[in-house]
C-alpha cells in the first residue's frame, strides 16, 4: 500500500483538479451507504475487481472509493469496438471482458477488456458521456484529429511500466465515443497474475489537424478518472514458426517469435549489433556512428500481413522493453485461417501455425 500511495503522490494535479476531485470524493463518501440499482445487472454476478483506493491530498483526508467490474458491460463495449456479438466477442478476439469503470463530470471511462501474452498486456478503454451527447460536433469541427486525455499514466503493482497508447485513439464518426488502446511491456506476465494495474486519466481534450500540423486544441471535459483492476493472464495467441534469419543493409536479423490472435499480433526480432544513442541523439552501432540515421533501421521493421484473398495490412513497429517488436491491434478482426504470410525486412515468411 505504501508504494501505491507513493505512486499516487507522484501524480501532479492542478489546484482546480484537486478541488474537483476532493469534492467528488466527499460526495462519494456521503452517498456510499445509499444502495442504488445498476442500470445493467449481470445475469451471473462476476466481480473481477473490488478495489479500495485511498487518495490523500494536502487539502483533505483520504476517502475510500470502490471500483467494480461489470463483465456484461465490458462485453458490450468490446462488441461495439470490434463489431461483433457480445456473446462471441471474447472467443473471437482473445480479450477478456472487464467493465471496470470510473465516472467524473458526466464522463464514464470503461475498461472494456484486456489481452495478455507472456510479456505484453493490451488494455482497451472506451470513453462516453453519460447523457449520450457528443464530445464535439463533427460538422462544426471537422478538423478533429483525436479525442483523448491530456495525461495518461499507468502502473503495475505500484510501479511505472514501459508502454504506450494508440495514436491517434479510435473514435466514432459521431464523436460520442472514443477508445484508447494502452499497451504495456511486462516481464513474465503469467507470474504477475493478480497484481494491481492502475490507470489514471486527466482531462478529456481535443487535438486538431490543420494540413500536416497536428496539435492540442482545448480541454473538453476537465476531470480525473482512476481505475484499478487485478492483472488477468489470458494468453490466447497462436505461435507461428519463427527463427528465420535475414540480412538488411549491414544488419543480420533473426526473427525470435511470431504470434497472432484474430485481433492482436506480436512479432519479435533482434539485430546482430547493439544500438545506443549519444547525448545528441546520434545512433551508434557497437560504438560506431550510424551513417544512415535511425529511420534506416526502422524502415523495414513494419511488417505487412497478407491474407489468402490477397488483402494486405500494414502493421506497426515499436521498440519494446524486451527488444525490437511489431506489436499491436490488427486493423480489423481477421481469422487465423485467413492469414497467409508476413513480409518484414523484404522477406516474406509464410505463417505456419505450431501445434
Amino acid at each position: 500500500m505504501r508504494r501505491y500511495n507513493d505512486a499516487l503522490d507522484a501524480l501532479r494535479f492542478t489546484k482546480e483538479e484537486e478541488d474537483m476531485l476532493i469534492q467528488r470524493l466527499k460526495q462519494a463518501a456521503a452517498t456510499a451507504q445509499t444502495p442504488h440499482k445498476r442500470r445493467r445487472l449481470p445475469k451471473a454476478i462476476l466481480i473481477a475487481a473490488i478495489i479500495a483506493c485511498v487518495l490523500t491530498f494536502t487539502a483533505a483526508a483520504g476517502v475510500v472509493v470502490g471500483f467494480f467490474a461489470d463483465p456484461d458491460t465490458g462485453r458490450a463495449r468490446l462488441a461495439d469496438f470490434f463489431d461483433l456479438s457480445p456473446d462471441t466477442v471474447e472467443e473471437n478476439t482473445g480479450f477478456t471482458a472487464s467493465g471496470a469503470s470510473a465516472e467524473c463530470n458526466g464522463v464514464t471511462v470503461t475498461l472494456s477488456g484486456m489481452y495478455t501474452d507472456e510479456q505484453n498486456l493490451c488494455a482497451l478503454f472506451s470513453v462516453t458521456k453519460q447523457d449520450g451527447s457528443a464530445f464535439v460536433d463533427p460538422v462544426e469541427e471537422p478538423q478533429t484529429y483525436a479525442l483523448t486525455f491530456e495525461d495518461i499514466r499507468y502502473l503495475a503493482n505500484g510501479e511505472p511500466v514501459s508502454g504506450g497508447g494508440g495514436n491517434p485513439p479510435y473514435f466514432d464518426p459521431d464523436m460520442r465515443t472514443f477508445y484508447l488502446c494502452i499497451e504495456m511491456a511486462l516481464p513474465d506476465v503469467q507470474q504477475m497474475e493478480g497484481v494491481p494495474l492502475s490507470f489514471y486519466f486527466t482531462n478529456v481534450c481535443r487535438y486538431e489537424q490543420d494540413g500536416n500540423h497536428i496539435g492540442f486544441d482545448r480541454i473538453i471535459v476537465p476531470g480525473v478518472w482512476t481505475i484499478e483492476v487485478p492483472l488477468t493472464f489470458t494468453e490466447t495467441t497462436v505461435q507461428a514458426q519463427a527463427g528465420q534469419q535475414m540480412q538488411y543493409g549491414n544488419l543480420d536479423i533473426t526473427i525470435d517469435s511470431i504470434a497472432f490472435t484474430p485481433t492482436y499480433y506480436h512479432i519479435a526480432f533482434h539485430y546482430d549489433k547493439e544500438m545506443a544513442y549519444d547525448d545528441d541523439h546520434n545512433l551508434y552501432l557497437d560504438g560506431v556512428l550510424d551513417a544512415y540515421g535511425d529511420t534506416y533501421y526502422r524502415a523495414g521493421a513494419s511488417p505487412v500481413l497478407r491474407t489468402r484473398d490477397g488483402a494486405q495490412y500494414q502493421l506497426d513497429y515499436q521498440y519494446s522493453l524486451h527488444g525490437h517488436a511489431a506489436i499491436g491491434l490488427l486493423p480489423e478482426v481477421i481469422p487465423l485461417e485467413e492469414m497467409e504470410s508476413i513480409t518484414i525486412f523484404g522477406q516474406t515468411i509464410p505463417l505456419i501455425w505450431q501445434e
Side-chain angles (χ1 to χ4, degrees):
M1 180 60 74
R2 183 184 62 81
R3 287 197 303 175
Y4 178 61
N5 287 335
D6 289 345
L8 288 177
D9 290 340
L11 293 172
R12 295 291 182 264
F13 301 102
T14 66
K15 183 63 169 60
E16 291 76 15
E17 288 169 350
E18 287 188 10
D19 291 342
M20 178 275 298
L21 186 54
I22 291 166
Q23 182 61 34
R24 180 171 174 79
L25 292 173
K26 287 181 177 179
Q27 292 173 354
T31 59
Q33 296 184 6
T34 303
H36 60 279
K37 292 184 178 180
R38 291 187 181 180
R39 178 174 294 181
R40 189 181 181 91
L41 183 65
K43 294 180 181 178
I45 298 176
L46 176 58
I47 300 177
I50 305 177
I51 308 295
C53 300
V54 180
L55 305 181
T56 305
F57 295 98
T58 304
V63 179
V64 177
V65 181
F67 295 97
F68 300 90
D70 183 351
D72 276 3
T73 294
R75 292 186 193 99
R77 297 294 191 189
L78 288 173
D80 287 342
F81 181 78
F82 289 112
D83 195 22
L84 295 171
S85 164
D87 295 334
T88 63
V89 68
E90 290 178 284
E91 176 184 355
N92 290 333
T93 65
F95 277 75
T96 297
S98 172
S101 65
E103 299 176 356
C104 182
N105 287 345
V107 171
T108 301
V109 179
T110 303
L111 173 58
S112 305
M114 290 190 297
Y115 156 85
T116 56
D117 57 32
E118 292 181 354
Q119 294 185 327
N120 303 280
L121 177 145
C122 179
L124 185 61
F125 293 85
S126 65
V127 187
T128 57
K129 296 181 74 173
Q130 290 171 285
D131 62 5
S133 62
F135 286 95
V136 299
D137 188 325
V139 176
E140 294 182 358
E141 302 187 66
Q143 292 178 307
T144 300
Y145 176 77
L147 301 171
T148 185
F149 290 96
E150 190 174 25
D151 190 27
I152 303 173
R153 307 188 187 194
Y154 34 87
L155 304 93
N157 208 23
E159 300 290 343
V161 293
S162 173
N167 185 26
Y170 310 89
F171 58 89
D172 288 340
D174 61 9
M175 307 289 184
R176 297 178 187 275
T177 304
F178 69 91
Y179 305 88
L180 292 168
C181 177
I182 294 179
E183 294 168 298
M184 300 182 186
L186 300 171
D188 301 322
V189 171
Q190 191 170 8
Q191 303 302 316
M192 299 178 69
E193 178 90 24
V195 306
L197 300 174
S198 307
F199 302 91
Y200 307 93
F201 307 92
T202 305
N203 297 338
V204 177
C205 61
R206 173 185 180 267
Y207 279 73
E208 68 175 357
Q209 182 169 7
D210 185 5
N212 292 327
H213 174 72
I214 299 170
F216 173 85
D217 175 46
R218 70 185 190 280
I219 292 174
I220 299 173
V221 182
V224 178
W225 295 261
T226 303
I227 295 178
E228 181 170 305
V229 294
L231 187 153
T232 301
F233 181 68
T234 58
E235 182 56 287
T236 54
T237 53
V238 176
Q239 299 285 330
Q241 291 184 7
Q244 298 85 356
Q245 295 182 334
M246 59 196 74
Q247 277 195 319
Y248 185 73
N250 62 346
L251 294 175
D252 291 325
I253 300 171
T254 301
I255 305 297
D256 297 315
S257 64
I258 303 171
F260 277 89
T261 76
T263 59
Y264 199 80
Y265 62 94
H266 182 203
I267 303 165
F269 52 91
H270 69 271
Y271 302 141
D272 66 328
K273 298 179 175 65
E274 292 295 327
M275 292 196 287
Y277 294 88
D278 64 11
D279 292 339
D280 295 323
H281 301 287
N282 294 315
L283 180 64
Y284 282 76
L285 297 174
D286 291 337
V288 179
L289 181 63
D290 164 34
Y292 298 96
D294 187 32
T295 55
Y296 173 79
Y297 296 98
R298 294 173 182 262
S302 297
V304 176
L305 171 65
R306 181 185 295 272
T307 58
R308 299 190 184 281
D309 62 3
Q312 297 186 50
Y313 302 88
Q314 182 75 52
L315 308 182
D316 291 332
Y317 162 84
Q318 60 182 265
Y319 185 85
S320 76
L321 180 67
H322 312 289
H324 297 273
I327 182 172
L329 285 175
L330 291 170
E332 60 183 76
V333 179
I334 306 173
L336 295 179
E337 59 270 19
E338 296 182 11
M339 301 180 189
E340 183 175 69
S341 65
I342 57 167
T343 299
I344 186 168
F345 295 109
Q347 180 169 322
T348 297
I349 302 173
L351 292 175
I352 302 174
W353 307 117
Q354 296 179 335
E355 295 294 334

